[in-house]
Amino acid sequence: MYDGIVQDLIDEFGRLPGIGPKSAQRITFHILQTPNFDVSRLSELLHDVREKVRFCEVCGNVSEQERCAICRDPRRDQTLICVVEDAKDVAAIERTREFRGLYHVLGGSISPIAGIGPDDLRIAQLMQRLADGTVQEVILATNPNLEGEATATYLSRLLTSLQISVTRLASGLPVGGDLEYADEVTLGRAFEGRRSV
Amino acid sequence: MYDGIVQDLIDEFGRLPGIGPKSAQRITFHILQTPNFDVSRLSELLHDVREKVRFCEVCGNVSEQERCAICRDPRRDQTLICVVEDAKDVAAIERTREFRGLYHVLGGSISPIAGIGPDDLRIAQLMQRLADGTVQEVILATNPNLEGEATATYLSRLLTSLQISVTRLASGLPVGGDLEYADEVTLGRAFEGRRSV
């Protein structure tokens, strides 16, 4: 629809997740029509992220060094590991400021449909971290969906042989939510996990 | 929340229109985690778009040359000019394949609130194009909102002195739409513009 390069950039933005053709067009025109838009900064950051960012060799979180900022922080509780599927989940949990332990990023979840088995996840590295007996609790914070539950079940079975307490994040009604609009499964879980007040 | 560069790239994507913090994070991780994502291509295109793309000196559409592909095309009807607010509107109309004339991009619409008056738009250039008498019809295809209507009204008054027919795109029910869900103004316009069948 457009002359060469403009359409090329629209197509390139359209390849990014969550950006449809209309958004891609809007972004491209924003870049074209905003005189002080800094294309150099954006393209330098793209290269920097690609060249300098790696994954922490201990926990698998994103990092600019061999070990990520959380693994390097001596104030974090070394006896507690929270297992998540993705590095994005680390950021989500960090935002709560509720958790002061360490993380372990699996790099996905067990999904027979997508052909992802336990060997495709960073499970061996997790077992290695647990081997020296420092860790006393493993919190399974995989997603509350089919794949996440399967992964949590698999891990909890694997960890029973160790002298480590294994916990799972609570399922229930979202705070600020409305009982009327909760789905049956979530409401069922909320009943199941009810606590005395 | 993240180490330096990753957060910088998230922030940079978050500055683009229509991309919120969550989307920006998702895009950044996509770039991080997709081994064959071509950052060089994206950053080259960003620079190319900035350096090589300009606006057609005749109609104001995007172009890699002095005159855009539409203005250069001798098969387009030189007697017909469709006036639009933005270069994105040219692409929208081209997709219909209904219009074979030329365009004139105003570069916005009259908006006293935003401080945009007639002199801020490419109206003088339009008058210049109409001066030699080639053009026989001007189609006002500004948006069917307050600013677009004001701009169309302003232009139609300006053009009455010339021997040129001035038309406006039809307002009415969108095709595939539902009468029940049409707003009053649109439904009113649909009655007003009714045609014998």
Side-chain angles (χ1 to χ4, degrees):
Chain A
M1 209 39 67
Y2 294 101
D3 272 15
I5 311 173
V6 178
Q7 189 62 49
D8 288 346
L9 186 58
I10 292 174
D11 292 343
E12 204 60 26
F13 274 121
R15 275 190 201 105
L16 296 174
I19 300 188
K22 289 266 169 171
S23 301
Q25 178 184 296
R26 198 171 156 209
I27 292 167
T28 300
F29 272 84
H30 174 82
I31 291 169
L32 258 175
Q33 294 173 334
T34 311
N36 58 355
F37 185 88
D38 195 346
V39 287
S40 299
R41 178 166 163 79
L42 180 52
S43 66
E44 266 168 39
L45 279 171
L46 284 166
H47 281 289
D48 278 0
V49 147
R50 209 43 189 276
E51 280 156 28
K52 295 183 190 164
V53 176
R54 48 176 121 187
F55 295 94
C56 172
E57 59 181 30
V58 178
C59 76
N61 188 16
V62 286
S63 176
E64 286 175 43
Q65 299 182 32
E66 282 187 3
R67 294 173 64 207
C68 75
I70 294 169
C71 286
R72 288 199 311 271
D73 186 348
R75 292 163 305 175
R76 307 287 301 211
D77 187 345
Q78 310 285 320
T79 68
L80 204 55
I81 286 185
C82 178
V83 177
V84 294
E85 292 180 20
D86 196 278
K88 287 193 282 284
D89 301 328
V90 173
I93 295 171
E94 284 297 288
R95 274 193 288 270
T96 68
R97 300 186 182 279
E98 288 284 332
F99 179 71
R100 296 299 300 161
L102 303 174
Y103 291 93
H104 192 82
V105 179
L106 292 174
S109 53
I110 296 172
S111 168
I113 294 167
I116 301 171
D119 294 343
D120 301 312
L121 307 177
R122 297 180 67 257
I123 292 175
Q125 289 93 324
L126 174 64
M127 299 311 281
Q128 210 177 319
R129 288 179 75 184
L130 302 177
D132 71 355
T134 312
V135 177
Q136 280 155 31
E137 183 181 348
V138 170
I139 303 170
L140 300 173
T142 51
N143 288 322
N145 56 25
L146 208 68
E147 292 83 10
E149 297 284 3
T151 310
T153 307
Y154 178 87
L155 287 174
S156 65
R157 280 181 196 158
L158 204 64
L159 298 174
T160 42
S161 58
L162 305 170
Q163 294 291 0
I164 296 173
S165 103
V166 178
T167 56
R168 179 101 177 95
L169 288 190
S171 267
L173 298 171
V175 177
D178 205 324
L179 209 107
E180 189 185 349
Y181 296 113
D183 64 286
E184 299 86 339
V185 183
T186 302
L187 199 51
R189 287 281 179 85
F191 267 95
E192 210 180 287
R194 69 189 181 278
R195 302 198 301 186
S196 59
V197 288
Chain B
M1 207 41 63
Y2 293 101
D3 273 14
I5 311 172
V6 178
Q7 189 61 51
D8 288 347
L9 186 58
I10 293 174
D11 292 344
E12 204 60 26
F13 274 121
R15 274 190 203 105
L16 297 173
I19 300 189
K22 290 266 168 171
S23 300
Q25 177 184 297
R26 197 171 156 209
I27 292 166
T28 301
F29 272 85
H30 174 81
I31 290 170
L32 259 173
Q33 293 173 335
T34 310
N36 59 355
F37 185 88
D38 195 346
V39 288
S40 300
R41 177 165 165 81
L42 181 52
S43 65
E44 265 168 39
L45 280 170
L46 284 165
H47 282 289
D48 278 0
V49 148
R50 209 43 186 276
E51 281 156 27
K52 295 184 189 162
V53 177
R54 48 177 121 187
F55 296 94
C56 172
E57 60 181 29
V58 178
C59 75
N61 189 15
V62 287
S63 177
E64 287 174 44
Q65 299 182 33
E66 283 187 4
R67 293 174 65 208
C68 75
I70 294 169
C71 286
R72 287 199 312 271
D73 186 348
R75 291 164 304 173
R76 307 286 304 210
D77 186 346
Q78 311 285 321
T79 67
L80 204 56
I81 286 186
C82 178
V83 176
V84 293
E85 294 181 19
D86 197 276
K88 286 193 283 284
D89 302 329
V90 173
I93 295 171
E94 284 297 287
R95 274 193 289 270
T96 69
R97 302 186 181 275
E98 287 285 330
F99 180 71
R100 296 298 302 163
L102 304 173
Y103 291 94
H104 192 82
V105 178
L106 293 174
S109 53
I110 296 172
S111 168
I113 294 169
I116 301 170
D119 294 343
D120 301 311
L121 305 177
R122 299 180 67 257
I123 292 175
Q125 289 92 323
L126 174 63
M127 298 311 281
Q128 210 178 318
R129 288 180 74 184
L130 302 178
D132 72 353
T134 313
V135 177
Q136 279 156 31
E137 182 180 350
V138 170
I139 302 170
L140 301 174
T142 52
N143 288 322
N145 56 25
L146 207 67
E147 292 81 11
E149 296 285 3
T151 310
T153 307
Y154 179 88
L155 286 174
S156 65
R157 278 180 198 157
L158 203 65
L159 298 174
T160 43
S161 60
L162 305 169
Q163 295 290 0
I164 296 173
S165 104
V166 179
T167 55
R168 178 101 177 95
L169 289 190
S171 268
L173 297 172
V175 177
D178 204 324
L179 210 109
E180 188 185 352
Y181 296 112
D183 64 287
E184 299 87 338
V185 183
T186 302
L187 199 51
R189 287 281 179 86
F191 267 95
E192 210 180 287
R194 68 190 182 278
R195 303 199 297 187
S196 58
V197 287

